Amino acid sequence: MRRLVSETRVHPAELVLPLFVREGVSDAVPISSMPGVSQHTLDSLKRAVGDAAAAGVGGVMLFGVPAIRDAIGSQATDPNGILNVATAAIAAEVGDALVVQTDLCLDEFTDHGHCGVLDDSGRVDNDATLERYVDMALVQADAGSSILGLSGMMDGQVDAVRTALDEAGFVDTAILAYSAKYASAFYGPFREAVDSQLSGDRRSYQLDPANRREGMRESTLDMSEGADIVMVKPAGSYLDVLADVAAMSDIPVWAYQVSGEYAMIEAAAQNGWIDRRRAIEESVVSIRRAGADAVLTYWATELAGWLR
C-alpha cells in the first residue's frame, strides 16, 4: 500500500555518478574522507563506468586529477590531458549505455586551485577565464563528452560556451549550468578527491549561503543564455532553492549531493549512529521530492542496484 501511494520515486536513470580519474597512478587511490570512493586509473575507471551502466545509472560525471598544474590550467585543454583521454576512452566503451559528462572548470588543473585564471592582483579574472572555458569546451566535446558541466560560476560562461560549441559544429553537445552553486563548507572532502591546491575560498564567485533569491536569479540568467540543464549545489542544505528553481524552470533541474553530504552519512553509519541504507535512500528521495529531475550522487551505482 505504501509503495502504491508513494508520491516520489527514484529511478536508476535519474542518477549520475561522479568519478575521479588520476594521472600517473598504477592503482586506484582510496579517498580517505570519502569511504568507498577512489581516484581511478583509466582501467579502474572503465570498470566503474561499466558497473554503473550495468546498474542502469543515467550518466557519469568525470573529473580529472592531473600530475602537472600551472597558472592557467594548461592540462585542461590538452587533448592528451588525463580528463580528455579518459572521456574519449569511456565514450568509446559505454557511450551508448549511459551519458558521458565532463566537469568544465579549471580548479583541478591550476596551481592555485581557483576556478579561473588570476589577474595581477590575485583575483579571478572573469573574462580571461571565459576564454579558457571556451577552449576546454571544444576539447571536451571533441573527446566525446555529451554534457559539459559548467561548474566555475563565471558570469557569462553559458553564453560563451554555447556560442563556441555552435560555431564549431557541436550543436548536440548539451550544457549543464551549475547555476545555483553556493560557497559551501560541504565541499571539504572533494578537495582531497581532486588534490586541490586552493588556499583561501571562492566566495567572490560562488553564492552566499544566506541568499535564496540569488539562486533563482542565477538560474534564470543561465536559462536565458542557452543552458540545457541547470544545477543546484549542494543539494541537501539547499532544498528550498532547489524547490524554487524547479517550480519556475521549463528545462531540467538537477542537484548535486556533494562530498560532505556523502561523508557525513558514511561516517555516522560507520559509527552505528544511523541506518546507512535508509539514510542514503531518504536523502536522495528528499532531493527528488524537492524537485530535482536527476541527482548527482556518489552512491549512484549502489543505489541503482537497490532500486532494481
Side-chain angles (χ1 to χ4, degrees):
M1 181 66 75
R2 290 176 68 87
R3 182 180 65 181
L4 180 64
V5 300
S6 179
E7 298 176 23
T8 304
R9 305 178 196 278
V10 181
H11 188 278
E14 298 163 343
L15 303 174
V16 176
L17 176 66
L19 289 165
F20 306 97
V21 57
R22 179 173 173 179
E23 186 176 21
V25 294
S26 56
D27 297 295
V29 179
I31 300 167
S32 63
S33 56
M34 299 178 68
V37 179
S38 297
Q39 297 171 329
H40 287 284
T41 66
L42 279 175
D43 286 340
S44 68
L45 179 71
K46 291 177 182 178
R47 290 193 293 271
V49 174
D51 290 343
V57 168
V60 292
M61 175 64 76
L62 303 181
F63 296 85
V65 185
I68 298 173
R69 297 174 169 90
D70 59 27
I72 64 169
S74 299
Q75 288 296 301
T77 49
D78 183 346
N80 296 314
I82 184 61
L83 178 57
N84 301 315
V85 168
T87 301
I90 295 306
E93 189 148 320
V94 295
D96 293 331
L98 47 68
V99 181
V100 177
Q101 309 165 41
T102 45
D103 179 60
L104 198 159
C105 192
L106 288 171
D107 60 317
E108 302 103 301
F109 300 96
T110 57
D111 55 12
H112 47 73
H114 275 288
C115 297
V117 296
L118 306 182
D119 61 20
D120 293 339
S121 65
R123 295 173 59 87
V124 173
D125 186 327
N126 189 96
D127 292 352
T129 299
L130 294 184
E131 295 179 13
R132 297 290 297 135
Y133 285 2
V134 163
D135 292 342
M136 286 183 71
L138 297 177
V139 173
Q140 290 183 2
D142 190 57
S145 178
S146 295
I147 300 179
L148 308 183
L150 275 61
S151 63
M153 288 297 289
M154 296 296 118
D155 292 339
Q157 61 182 12
V158 173
D159 180 61
V161 168
R162 181 74 269 160
T163 299
L165 289 172
D166 290 350
E167 290 178 350
F170 294 111
V171 295
D172 293 327
T173 303
I175 290 177
L176 163 61
Y178 286 53
S179 303
K181 182 178 180 180
Y182 285 82
S184 172
F186 292 106
Y187 303 145
F190 184 88
R191 306 283 189 257
E192 179 189 355
V194 297
D195 188 25
S196 174
Q197 306 300 299
L198 181 67
S199 176
D201 57 56
R202 298 178 177 136
R203 289 186 294 176
S204 65
Y205 47 98
Q206 294 180 353
L207 304 187
D208 184 342
N211 291 358
R212 179 173 179 172
R213 290 192 300 271
E214 189 175 10
M216 284 273 289
R217 185 163 65 250
E218 291 287 349
S219 299
T220 301
L221 283 169
D222 285 347
M223 292 176 194
S224 70
E225 292 180 15
D228 299 287
I229 308 161
V230 291
M231 175 85 86
V232 176
K233 180 183 179 183
S237 295
Y238 296 86
L239 296 179
D240 56 338
V241 178
L242 173 58
D244 289 344
V245 175
M248 67 84 178
S249 176
D250 58 0
I251 63 174
V253 178
W254 292 6
Y256 198 143
Q257 187 175 45
V258 300
S259 60
E261 297 173 81
Y262 175 91
M264 288 190 299
I265 290 178
E266 288 290 350
Q270 286 183 3
N271 278 283
W273 297 335
I274 59 174
D275 182 312
R276 180 178 180 272
R277 176 168 173 171
R278 285 187 62 193
I280 292 169
E281 291 174 332
E282 183 178 338
S283 67
V284 175
V285 81
S286 297
I287 298 166
R288 285 279 292 115
R289 187 189 66 239
D293 297 297
V295 181
L296 278 73
T297 176
Y298 299 98
W299 289 300
T301 301
E302 184 176 16
L303 178 55
W306 297 339
L307 295 169
R308 296 184 72 178

